[in-house]
Amino acid sequence: MLDRKFVALADPTRRAILARLALGEATVSELQRPFGISQPAISRHLKVLEAAGLVEGGRAAQARPRRLKPEGLDAARAWLDGLRTLWSDSFEALDAFLANSRTEGADTR
Amino acid sequence: MLDRKFVALADPTRRAILARLALGEATVSELQRPFGISQPAISRHLKVLEAAGLVEGGRAAQARPRRLKPEGLDAARAWLDGLRTLWSDSFEALDAFLANSRTEGADTR
DNA sequence: GTTGTATATAACATAATAGTTATATAAAGA
DNA sequence: TCTTTATATAACTATTATGTTATATACAAC
């Protein structure tokens, strides 16, 4: 699932769609206009975004307005935060280690 | 640049490499072992990660130990946060709008 | 029921990605 | 200098992604 999210985010058109949806729901044809690409292309991007849990769609007459599922982004954010934490932990560990070496073996420098 | 970062993050092997590097620097051959793929494949993943500004490499004898550049992730995180903010802003705007309609036109419900 | 509008799906072309093996380069060490 | 070790690059292959046009479906409106 995480993989689908990151893959979905890798395409600039899809990120633009997400940004547009963050401003409010939009139909396929509303989304199509600003991007210079065909309607089927938009539909497929939306499918990818839905499969990734980032977007959901409703039904209003013939239109199928999509809206952002902002919780869908949490897993990706959490992964990035986790990396950060892992890294700063190991950084602190290294720091502690260096501080230790300095006091224990000050003559080796 | 943002694009390169997200593209870099889209591949599970590259995310695993990042996770490994978050624990401390590692050489190409050290990275190769756990993943069941060839050395050239690792080298190319590292190239992608470097181009994305997520990893940097040094030189130690023949080895070229890579380390995480955690600031490199900030832009991606910021983009995700921005979406969240955009969304909650428009959500609040909608909320305010609905609250308004309720008081101004209470008879329309 | 026929027409118009919104969207989805199929079929296809092209380009990008990720992997492979073989080979080149660069530094260490005998 | 010859060998070994570590990594990079080239050439190639297979798969996946993204776009296209043409067509199907679903609902609305007349």
Side-chain angles (χ1 to χ4, degrees):
Chain A
M1 184 92 271
L2 224 207
D3 203 57
R4 288 195 179 169
K5 289 179 200 291
F6 276 116
V7 166
L9 288 167
D11 183 87
T13 301
R14 283 195 291 266
R15 286 200 306 278
I17 289 177
L18 290 177
R20 166 62 188 80
L21 291 179
L23 301 172
E25 59 176 38
T27 65
V28 173
S29 31
E30 283 166 354
L31 288 170
Q32 190 192 345
R33 226 152 333 190
F35 306 101
I37 65 179
S38 66
Q39 171 264 313
I42 298 286
S43 285
R44 287 221 314 210
H45 279 308
L46 287 171
K47 207 171 178 182
V48 172
L49 289 168
E50 281 168 15
L54 302 179
V55 159
E56 61 187 354
R59 171 56 76 86
Q62 311 100 305
R64 250 148 271 193
R66 300 320 210 291
R67 60 180 164 282
L68 196 60
K69 273 178 72 177
E71 338 78 78
L73 292 164
D74 291 347
R77 281 178 32 113
W79 191 89
L80 294 178
D81 287 347
L83 248 202
R84 264 287 200 196
T85 307
L86 260 185
W87 182 81
S88 50
D89 283 1
S90 61
F91 190 73
E92 279 161 24
L94 175 64
D95 232 35
F97 170 75
L98 291 178
N100 239 347
S101 331
R102 226 173 294 128
T103 50
E104 283 187 21
D107 53 334
T108 62
R109 71 156 165 87
Chain B
M1 187 90 267
L2 224 206
D3 204 58
R4 287 195 179 170
K5 289 178 200 293
F6 277 116
V7 165
L9 288 167
D11 183 86
T13 301
R14 282 194 291 265
R15 287 201 304 280
I17 289 176
L18 290 177
R20 167 61 188 81
L21 290 180
L23 302 172
E25 59 176 38
T27 65
V28 173
S29 31
E30 282 165 355
L31 287 170
Q32 189 192 346
R33 226 153 333 194
F35 307 100
I37 64 181
S38 66
Q39 171 264 311
I42 298 285
S43 286
R44 287 222 312 211
H45 280 308
L46 287 171
K47 207 172 179 182
V48 171
L49 290 168
E50 280 168 16
L54 301 179
V55 158
E56 61 186 356
R59 173 55 75 88
Q62 311 99 308
R64 251 149 270 195
R66 301 321 209 290
R67 58 179 165 284
L68 196 60
K69 272 178 74 177
E71 339 78 78
L73 293 164
D74 291 348
R77 280 178 34 112
W79 191 89
L80 294 177
D81 287 347
L83 248 202
R84 263 284 198 199
T85 307
L86 261 184
W87 182 81
S88 49
D89 284 359
S90 60
F91 190 73
E92 279 161 25
L94 175 64
D95 232 35
F97 170 75
L98 290 178
N100 239 348
S101 333
R102 227 174 293 128
T103 49
E104 283 186 22
D107 53 333
T108 61
R109 71 157 165 90

